Amino acid sequence: MPTKREKDAVTGRETTGHEWDGIRELDTPLPKWWLYVFYACIAFAVVYSVLYPSIPLISTHTRGILGYTNRDALTRSTAEAATQQAKFRDRVRDASLEDIRKDPDLLAFAETGGRSAFNENCAPCHRTGGAGAKGYPNLADDDWLWGGTLAAIHQTIAHGIRNADPDSRQSQMPRFGADGLLTPPQISDVADYVMSLSHQPAPADAARRGSKIFAENCAPCHGEHGTGNQELGAKNLTDGIWLYGGDKATLVETLTYARNSSMPSWSARLDPTTIKMLAIYVHSLGGGQ
Ligand code: HEC
Ligand code: HEC
């Protein structure tokens, strides 16, 4: 191949001297800016690989003179966060529930800690955000079985409901059908009455008969007007919010077998500070009183 550098007439630049089928290549130098950036990159890479871990060796890599590792950095920032957290946790531990509510920083910390403890321990039953499911009460509304004050919520969480903890919430709705306390027609009548209490259509004569049965058998727990009693965890039957269901078939099932569901006592599983944060979180979900 002939190599003959010559000046190109159009651009005034030299050619490389190579020629392919009459096509010649100009020998244009790289732009200055590009070259400087390129040199700067090389310089950066050299400095970086001296300072930081970079070059792979057979079973390890160069360490760099700064001794920096991502793992150390993570450990350090985790430890920092833990000290920061411990400070707040100690303040939550020592403050009363009411005082936590009044301190915006503590409140925010407790709500965040409460939310993550809730997602881990409570959401399987109460669902994310406390939305509830059949048999598992919604904790975000203002309808409470056992009370919606901070103190009541704290007590419910710490000791649970119908379990072996001596301080747990206790009460048993009788199994009116299964134990023969009421006959099936009586259960049907009182179910109709409960439907009328919650403003659902029900045959008037059955509901009238049911109201007498209610006064004798149910009012001691659910109240004369069916509005419930939080001392006994006896639901308000008039508000149209149901734990199990307000249709006739579900009511008959509830009255026949009762439900008496239970919740674990959390004081055996979680530390007192976490339980406090949970109470604050649940109280903040929307229905706190
Ligand atoms: C195994 C399922 C289960 C788990 C897990 C559970 N709960 Fe419950 N919880 C229930 C049931 C069932 C009830 C209703 C019991 C009843 O009928 O009185 C309840 C009731 C409550 C109540 C009372 C609601 C009211 O209306 O008075 C609160 C507050 C509560 N749970 C908070 C929590 C918190 C906080 C956690 C997590 C630490 C938790 N629960 C975990 C099943 C569960
Ligand atoms: C000893 C107290 C007690 C008596 C008496 C009682 N209940 Fe209850 N009732 C409760 C409790 C406590 C609950 C909540 C049970 C649970 O969480 O599993 C409840 C739940 C219910 C529910 C479920 C509501 C829902 O949201 O699904 C209905 C309906 C009901 N009762 C109706 C009656 C009727 C009608 C009678 C009378 C025939 C009656 N109860 C008698 C304590 C009582």
Side-chain angles (χ1 to χ4, degrees):
M1 181 185 298
T3 56
K4 205 161 95 248
R5 294 174 78 87
E6 54 191 35
K7 217 160 191 106
D8 174 60
V10 181
T11 58
R13 290 203 186 287
E14 273 203 330
T15 65
T16 57
H18 304 152
E19 183 177 338
W20 296 270
D21 295 340
I23 299 171
R24 280 167 303 157
E25 186 185 12
L26 290 178
D27 191 10
T28 312
L30 290 163
K32 286 272 184 299
W33 67 264
W34 192 95
L35 262 185
Y36 291 139
V37 170
F38 183 58
Y39 293 146
C41 288
I42 293 173
F44 178 84
V46 169
V47 172
Y48 186 96
S49 52
V50 170
L51 293 180
Y52 290 99
S54 46
I55 302 168
L57 306 174
I58 287 171
S59 63
T60 171
H61 54 79
T62 58
R63 304 272 164 204
I65 58 177
L66 290 185
Y68 173 92
T69 72
N70 274 340
R71 189 179 294 266
D72 283 352
L74 178 70
T75 316
R76 216 168 321 115
S77 69
T78 317
E80 237 164 65
T83 347
Q84 205 61 19
Q85 241 192 27
K87 248 191 342 218
F88 270 105
R89 283 188 72 92
D90 288 352
R91 282 173 62 196
V92 168
R93 186 194 58 207
D94 298 337
S96 73
L97 289 166
E98 291 301 336
D99 288 344
I100 297 171
R101 273 191 60 72
K102 285 189 211 121
D103 180 331
D105 286 345
L106 268 194
L107 181 62
F109 177 80
E111 281 181 9
T112 312
R115 177 181 302 116
S116 74
F118 190 91
N119 288 341
E120 203 170 309
N121 298 286
C122 324
C125 288
H126 291 286
R127 301 290 187 270
T128 317
K134 185 175 172 184
Y136 302 103
N138 181 331
L139 304 177
D141 62 11
D142 55 7
D143 183 59
W144 294 98
L145 291 160
W146 299 96
T149 62
L150 264 176
I153 293 172
H154 184 265
Q155 164 76 18
T156 304
I157 299 171
H159 301 289
I161 301 163
R162 298 187 191 93
N163 61 47
D165 182 331
D167 292 326
S168 88
R169 306 273 195 193
Q170 296 292 350
S171 79
Q172 298 283 331
M173 173 156 148
R175 304 175 344 134
F176 287 100
D179 290 343
L181 303 173
L182 295 175
T183 63
Q186 287 176 310
I187 288 182
S188 170
D189 287 349
V190 78
D192 281 327
Y193 176 66
V194 171
M195 292 186 75
S196 74
L197 276 180
S198 53
H199 314 291
Q200 302 182 78
D205 50 336
R208 204 170 334 99
R209 288 193 302 271
S211 79
K212 293 207 188 71
I213 303 168
F214 190 91
E216 280 167 29
N217 295 278
C218 322
C221 290
H222 289 283
E224 194 187 340
H225 304 291
T227 47
N229 178 351
Q230 295 185 343
E231 300 274 300
L232 300 168
K235 266 211 61 146
N236 183 341
L237 303 174
T238 66
D239 59 8
I241 300 173
W242 301 100
L243 190 51
Y244 303 101
D247 58 289
K248 179 82 183 261
T250 308
L251 287 173
V252 167
E253 192 184 324
T254 300
L255 295 176
T256 305
Y257 300 105
R259 310 275 185 173
N260 298 318
S261 51
S262 60
M263 173 164 103
S265 159
W266 292 96
S267 47
R269 302 163 198 227
L270 301 173
D271 63 276
T273 310
T274 304
I275 292 180
K276 264 187 178 171
M277 297 199 292
L278 279 165
I280 299 270
Y281 171 69
V282 169
H283 186 263
S284 76
L285 285 176
Q289 292 161 356

